[in-house]
Amino acid sequence: METKLVKVDTENPEKSVLTEAAEILKNGGLVAFPTETVYGLGANGLDEKACKRIYEAKGRPSDNPLILTIGDLDGLYKIVGKVTENAKKIIDAFWPGPITLVLPKADCVPETVTGGLDTVAVRYPSNKIARELIKIAGIPVAAPSANSSGKPSPTRASHVEFDLNGKIEMIIDGGAADWGLGSTILDVSEDKPVLLRPGAVTQDMIEDVVGEIDVDPAVYSKPDGNIVPKAPGMKYKHYSPSAKVILVSGSMENVISTINEKISTDEKNGLRVGVMATTQTKDRYIGGEVLVVGDRTKPETIGANLFKILRKFDFIGVD
Ligand code: AMP
Ligand code: MG
C-alpha cells in the first residue's frame, strides 16, 4: 500500500485534506494525525475490522485497548454507558485537552476497541487538526499512538512515516506535537477516580478539581509481574528505542560524573554512547554523542523532546 503524506496548515487546516482523510476513516482506512500529546493512528472506532487493522499496523497486543477520540462533547454520550459526577468535573476543567477518561462503555463500542474490558477510554483532543478531522468524520475515532508497538511515541510526521509507511492510507503532517508525551489516563468509572497513567494533566491538577484520588500501584513501580496495571498497555515494554537505555538519577554533579565514568569504560570497549543532556550539562561530558533534550528549569521542554531524542539516538546508531 502506498501511504499518502500530506502537510497541512496547523492554524487553518485545509478542509479538502481533512475531508479526504475523513472519507478514508469512514471507509475503514487508517489515517495518522497530530494531537497535542503525540501523533495518533486513527480508524473508525465503531468498525471492528478497521480497529483490527490498527493492531496489525502497530504490532500491538490485542489485549491492549485503544483510546476513542471525539470531536465534540455530544460524541461522548454515544460511546459511554454513564458519565459520572467526577467525570463531569474533569471534563469541565480540562477538556478539550490531554487527559483521557475511562468510563463504562456503551454497547455500540466493539470488544476490539476495549480489549474485552467493560470500560472504554475516551479523549477529546484540543489540537485543531484532530478536532476538525474527527468532527468531519462524524464518528468516534480510535486513536492510539501512531508508532510501532513498544517504540517511543511519535511526535513528528516523520516518526510515523518511519514506523508505519506502507501500512496505512494517509499521514497528516501538522508539525510537532506540542506536548510530546502521552495523555494522562484517569479511571472515573467508579466513585473514587484512579490515576492509571501520569501525563500532562498532573495528579495535583486533578485533585484540585475532584479532591483526593487513588493512584494505580503500577504507576510508580517497576514492572515485576506481581503488580498488574489497570491500564493494560502499562504492562508491556514501551517508549523503548533499540539502543539500551540507562537512567542516571541524583544530584546534577553526581549524574555528570557517573555518566562520564560510563562513557569512558563503554567507549574503551568499542561502544558508541549517546548522552541525553540538558542545556545546563551539555558541555560537561567528556565524550559520547551528546544531544540536548531540554532545559532543567523548564520540564515541559524536556517532555516535548524526549521521544524525539530517543528516536534520534537510534537513527545515529548508538549502542
Ligand atoms: P496509547 O493510546 O497507545 O497511548 O495507549 C492507550 C493506553 O490506554 C494504553 O495504555 C491502554 O492500556 C490504556 N487504556 C485504553 N482503554 C482502557 C481502559 N478501558 N481501561 C484502562 N486502560 C485503558
Ligand atoms: Mg502508545
Side-chain angles (χ1 to χ4, degrees), residues 187-310:
D187 185 339
V188 280
S189 62
E190 314 263 350
D191 284 343
K192 191 158 185 195
V194 187
L195 181 69
L196 304 187
R197 178 171 80 180
V201 178
T202 64
Q203 186 176 347
D204 283 348
M205 290 161 75
I206 295 168
E207 290 186 332
D208 279 347
V209 175
V210 295
E212 196 196 62
I213 62 169
D214 284 335
V215 178
D216 188 51
V219 165
Y220 297 115
S221 67
K222 272 196 177 168
D224 63 359
N226 291 325
I227 300 173
V228 179
K230 264 187 92 184
M234 300 274 288
K235 72 174 180 271
Y236 295 105
K237 182 170 177 177
H238 49 279
Y239 310 146
S240 175
S242 303
K244 180 180 178 186
V245 180
I246 299 170
L247 175 69
V248 183
S249 63
S251 73
M252 191 170 98
E253 291 308 318
N254 280 341
V255 166
I256 293 168
S257 59
T258 304
I259 291 178
N260 276 334
E261 279 163 33
K262 187 83 187 128
I263 294 172
S264 104
T265 39
D266 282 355
E267 289 192 339
K268 264 185 215 133
N269 291 327
L271 296 173
R272 284 184 72 194
V273 183
V275 181
M276 189 184 282
T278 54
T279 40
Q280 285 81 0
T281 62
K282 67 178 170 38
D283 299 320
R284 306 276 311 273
Y285 295 105
I286 54 157
E289 306 281 347
V290 180
L291 297 178
V292 175
V293 68
D295 184 320
R296 283 170 175 254
T297 64
K298 299 185 190 111
E300 67 281 6
T301 62
I302 295 176
N305 290 313
L306 180 67
F307 293 142
K308 182 183 83 174
I309 299 291
L310 288 175

Side-chain angles (χ1 to χ4, degrees), residues 20-33 40-55 66-70 75 78-79 108-114 120-121 133-144 168-170:
E20 185 186 350
E23 280 306 311
I24 295 173
L25 290 174
K26 283 192 277 185
N27 291 321
L30 304 186
V31 177
F33 59 90
L41 178 58
N44 181 348
L46 300 179
D47 177 346
E48 291 239 43
K49 242 169 103 186
C51 291
K52 282 203 174 114
R53 283 194 55 208
I54 290 185
Y55 289 89
L66 308 176
I67 288 175
L68 289 186
T69 55
I70 51 175
K78 294 178 188 146
I79 53 178
C108 65
V109 178
E111 268 195 17
T112 323
V113 167
T114 63
V120 61
L133 170 63
I134 302 161
K135 251 198 215 155
I136 296 172
I139 44 173
V141 175
I168 65 178
E169 277 79 2
M170 189 175 186

Side-chain angles (χ1 to χ4, degrees), residues 96-127:
I99 181 164
T100 298
L101 297 180
V102 172
L103 284 161
K105 83 175 198 72
D107 290 341
C108 65
V109 178
E111 268 195 17
T112 323
V113 167
T114 63
L117 299 173
D118 50 16
T119 52
V120 61
V122 187
R123 185 155 83 90
Y124 180 14
S126 61
N127 177 286

